Amino acid sequence: MKTNRIRNLVAGLVTTALAAPLLPAETAPKLKMTTEIPPEITTPDSVETSIGTLHLSDGFPDDATTQKVYDNLDFQRGVQAFLNAMPGAAVTAFRPALREHGGMDGGVIIFEEMMNSKALWLTANTTVVYYMSWLDTKNGPIVMETPPNTLGLVDDHWFRYVCDFGNAGPDKGKGGKFLFLPPGYKGDVPEGYFVMRPNTFGLWMAGRGFLINGDPKPAVASIKKHLKIYPLSQAANPPASKFTNMSGVPNNTVHANNFHFYEEVNEIVQEEPAEALDPETLGLLASIGIEKGKPFAPDERMKRILTDAVAVGNVTARALTFRPRMKEAYYYPNSAWFSNMPGGSYDFLSQPGVRHLDARVLMHYYATGITPAMAMKMVGIGSQYAAATTDSEGKGLEGSKTYKIHLPPNIPMKDFWSFTVYDNQTRSMLQTDQPFPSVNSTDKGVVTNPDGSVDVWFGPSAPAGHESNWVQTVPGKGWNVLFRLYGPLEPWFDKTWKPGEFERVE
C-alpha cells in the first residue's frame, strides 16, 4: 500500500510539472548551480526559417512545429534519396526492355543496323553496334565469353564498376572467358577465367562493336559468333546465346522522374544483399519506407511528400546536368564544353575518401555506363566525351534556331569523331525526320574543308549547300550535344586542340 501511495504521489508531481508553463531561459530563477549559458546553444521561442515560423517553448517545439519539421525532414530525405539512389534506378530501368526483348537469361539484344532515335537511351550514339544483356548470379556463377575488338563493361545493380572487357579489358581486345561469382560465393573457382566477385547478384553488361568502312555487318557477325552467356554448370557444353535485333524498335530504358522512381529503387533493395550498399544510404532509404524485407507502402501523407521530393530532386539533377556549377567540369575557360564525368574519377572520388556528389548526379542523370576507361587518359584507346548545352552566349540551345560549329584541322582521333544531338527532356536521341541525329567522320558524305577543318550545322532546316554536315532540330524543343572522339590523341588531353563553340547563324 505504501508503495502505491508513493507511486501515485510521483505521478501527480510529474503531471503537475508537465502542465506548468516553462519559463524562458532569461526569466529562469538564479539557483545555486546556475551558470551563464552561451546564446549559441539555445533556441528562441520563435524562429524564422525557409519553411516558415517555428514555435517553441523554452526549447520545446509545439505540435504544429514538430509536424512541420518532420514533414521537411521526410522531404529532404526524399530529395537526397533521388539524387543518391539514381545510379541504381538507372540500371533497373533497363530491365523492362531487356525482359520484353530477350535480353535476360543468357539472351542478348543487339542493334545490328545501329541504334536510331526510336530507342530512349541516355545519350547513346549512332556510330557503334550496341549489344546488351542482364546477368543474374542468384542461381550460381555465370560465364561470359566475349568477342574480340569491342569496348565492353559490366556494372553491378547499384551501377558500380565491375570490369571492362574487350580493348580496355584484361583480355586486351582478344576476347576471353569471364566468370561472375555470386556475392558471398565460397565454392570452387575453376582456372582459365577472368574471375569477378561483384557485390550484387544482378549485373548489367553492355558492349560496343565498331564499323569497318562504315559497315556494321562484320562487327555483328563477330559478336554473334563469339559472345556466349551461360551458367558455369553448363560450361562443358555451353548453349548458344540468342540475339534479338533491336534496330528501329521503340523501347525505353530511362528511369522515372516521378513517384515510380522510388518503386524502381525498392526493386533493388528487395533483390540484392543489404551488404551490397553502405549503411548510410540504406538508412536514408529506410527512413522513407524502402527497407529490405518490408513492403514499400507509404501512406497518403508520405506519398504526397515523396511526390514533391522527386519533383525537386529531378529539377536539381537537371540543373547539375545542363548548367553545371562545378568549375572542374569545364574543359576550357569561357566555354560551353564540359565533361560528363567531372574530376576524371569513375568512382567520383574528388580526393581520397571524398565523394563528389554533384559529379555523380551529372554523370548518372545524363549518361550510362561506369568504367575507368571513360575517365582515364588512354591515348589512341577508348573514347572521350565533351557535352554542350549552351551556345557561345551562354544561352540554352533552341530547336528553332540555327547554329554552326567549327572543328579546327587535325581533329585528334585515331578512329573517328562524332556529334550526336539529344532531347533535353529524355536525354536520348532527338526524334526528328532523321533516324540518326548525328554527323560523324564515318559518314561518307561529310564535307571536310581544304585545310582539314570541318563545319557542322544544327537547325530546323538544312543550310543550302551544307546538307551533308547538318543535324535537324525541332522548333520548340531544347537540345544538347555530345562530341565524341574514339581513339583520342594527345592534343585532346593537353588541350592544344579544342572544338569551337555553338554560334548562332542569323
Side-chain angles (χ1 to χ4, degrees), residues 228-436:
K228 294 181 181 179
I229 300 170
Y230 52 87
L232 177 63
S233 60
Q234 299 179 13
N237 186 26
S241 289
K242 181 181 178 181
F243 292 84
T244 302
N245 182 13
M246 293 290 289
S247 290
V249 178
N251 65 100
N252 173 45
T253 66
V254 182
H255 68 77
N257 288 327
N258 59 13
F259 180 81
H260 181 54
F261 171 90
Y262 299 109
E263 296 171 326
E264 292 173 327
V265 173
N266 184 57
E267 283 187 43
I268 317 171
V269 171
Q270 301 307 327
E271 292 181 22
E272 301 296 352
E275 297 78 13
L277 197 61
D278 63 278
E280 192 76 17
T281 306
L282 284 176
L284 172 66
L285 297 176
S287 74
I288 62 170
I290 299 174
E291 192 170 1
K292 189 172 181 65
K294 297 181 180 180
F296 176 52
D299 59 20
E300 183 179 343
R301 167 192 167 273
M302 194 64 178
K303 188 168 185 179
R304 182 182 69 253
I305 289 173
L306 290 180
T307 300
D308 188 26
V310 75
V312 172
N314 173 49
V315 176
T316 302
R318 287 181 174 275
L320 289 169
T321 300
F322 295 133
R323 310 184 74 170
R325 64 179 181 177
M326 302 157 277
K327 292 182 179 179
E328 66 272 25
Y330 292 90
Y331 283 107
Y332 319 100
N334 303 314
S335 172
W337 294 109
F338 63 89
S339 170
N340 62 328
M341 196 175 284
S345 170
Y346 74 95
D347 52 6
F348 310 103
L349 295 177
S350 56
Q351 52 184 295
V354 180
R355 189 87 62 199
H356 197 320
L357 300 180
D358 289 357
R360 184 173 63 182
V361 170
L362 190 164
M363 172 61 195
H364 284 291
Y365 196 78
Y366 189 56
T368 297
I370 290 297
T371 166
M374 296 175 71
M376 293 170 56
K377 176 181 178 179
M378 296 190 297
V379 177
I381 302 174
S383 52
Q384 287 287 305
Y385 308 81
T389 60
T390 57
D391 63 18
S392 59
E393 298 178 356
K395 298 177 180 178
L397 298 169
E398 300 179 39
S400 61
K401 306 293 193 300
T402 298
Y403 303 85
K404 175 185 176 182
I405 192 165
H406 180 72
L407 298 180
N410 303 312
I411 301 171
M413 50 83 190
K414 180 172 69 68
D415 300 319
F416 63 92
W417 58 262
S418 73
F419 284 106
T420 309
V421 173
Y422 302 100
D423 184 330
N424 283 350
Q425 284 284 9
T426 65
R427 290 95 70 211
S428 304
M429 292 183 205
L430 186 66
Q431 296 179 334
T432 68
D433 292 328
Q434 296 175 323
F436 303 108

Side-chain angles (χ1 to χ4, degrees), residues 151-170:
L151 274 177
L153 58 89
V154 176
D155 291 331
D156 76 7
H157 204 162
W158 286 110
F159 229 146
R160 295 169 303 200
Y161 173 71
V162 175
C163 69
D164 290 297
F165 62 89
N167 298 349

